[in-house]
Amino acid sequence: MADARSETLMALRVALTDCPDPGPAPRTQAAAAFGPDAPEALAAACARCGIRLLPVADWAAARAAVADLLRELGVRSATFWNHPDLAPLGLPALCATRGVEIIPAREDAIRDLARADIGITSALGLLAESGSILVAAGADTPRSTSLLPETHLAVVPPGRTVPGIANLAPLLRSLADAQGRPPSALHAITGPSSTGDIEMVVVKGVHGPVRVVVVAVAGE
């Protein structure tokens, strides 16, 4: 097998010897992926996939909605991204006011993140046709924040509605770095974790959060 692999790789190298390096693909503007707010379509899509949608008019209402959710769920510990999208919420102060322990969102602290009651993230966008939350992994946006806590709360800034999958290409291309490399992981989260592997009985929360909540801030 090793010889066959070496021969295959050598054949590819020879075939590509005279091919110029195309370089990284040109970056595009993510804004091309977004469309107008579609509250009715988004509400219907979220209902179908089990996402609790909380539409709000502005950032003040978003902060109030997050505070209400922490109170409703009896949250004692939280982890959240260190990301500009979440800055208007003032999450450190909000958690301190409610006596909620803050667990730093770090990929090298999996055991700590697993005991957080809630993980709060932003989102690249919301797919109106499916209700999916689009998130990308990065240094300040670890994937474990949306995977390990019992509740995943995504706070979506204004103007992030993506009409459908066909509109995703500009958004995905805009995420490439200077070398044209995409993020290490991209996720389209379409509802709480669920599985029916055992005797076709649907069980939630086996591979991820039991509940998913979206606070969607209306377009400005």
Side-chain angles (χ1 to χ4, degrees), residues 129-209:
E129 69 179 5
S130 65
S132 301
I133 306 162
L134 305 173
V135 296
D140 295 325
T141 58
R143 72 198 79 183
S144 50
T145 308
S146 64
L147 290 173
L148 294 181
E150 186 175 77
T151 299
H152 172 209
L153 168 61
V155 181
V156 186
R160 298 278 178 92
T161 299
V162 180
I165 290 180
N167 304 92
L168 275 180
L171 177 60
L172 299 181
R173 285 196 294 267
S174 74
L175 299 174
D177 64 15
Q179 285 72 47
R181 297 172 300 198
S184 62
L186 293 165
H187 303 282
I189 300 169
T190 311
S193 167
S194 62
T195 181
D197 291 346
I198 302 174
E199 297 185 358
M200 302 302 289
V201 176
V202 176
V203 180
K204 294 186 181 298
V206 175
H207 306 298

Side-chain angles (χ1 to χ4, degrees), residues 67-169:
D68 289 345
L69 187 67
L70 297 180
R71 184 183 309 109
E72 174 190 331
L73 298 178
V75 170
R76 293 173 295 178
S77 57
T79 184
F80 48 82
W81 285 352
N82 177 23
H83 193 277
D85 281 352
L86 299 179
L89 297 172
L91 289 174
L94 183 61
C95 289
T97 299
R98 295 204 50 78
V100 174
E101 177 191 2
I102 297 174
I103 300 175
R106 303 195 335 261
E107 288 287 15
D108 61 351
I110 299 298
R111 291 185 182 276
D112 290 335
L113 293 177
R115 63 183 184 80
D117 295 323
I118 192 169
I120 305 174
T121 73
S122 178
L124 296 169
L126 278 177
L127 273 175
E129 69 179 5
S130 65
S132 301
I133 306 162
L134 305 173
V135 296
D140 295 325
T141 58
R143 72 198 79 183
S144 50
T145 308
S146 64
L147 290 173
L148 294 181
E150 186 175 77
T151 299
H152 172 209
L153 168 61
V155 181
V156 186
R160 298 278 178 92
T161 299
V162 180
I165 290 180
N167 304 92
L168 275 180

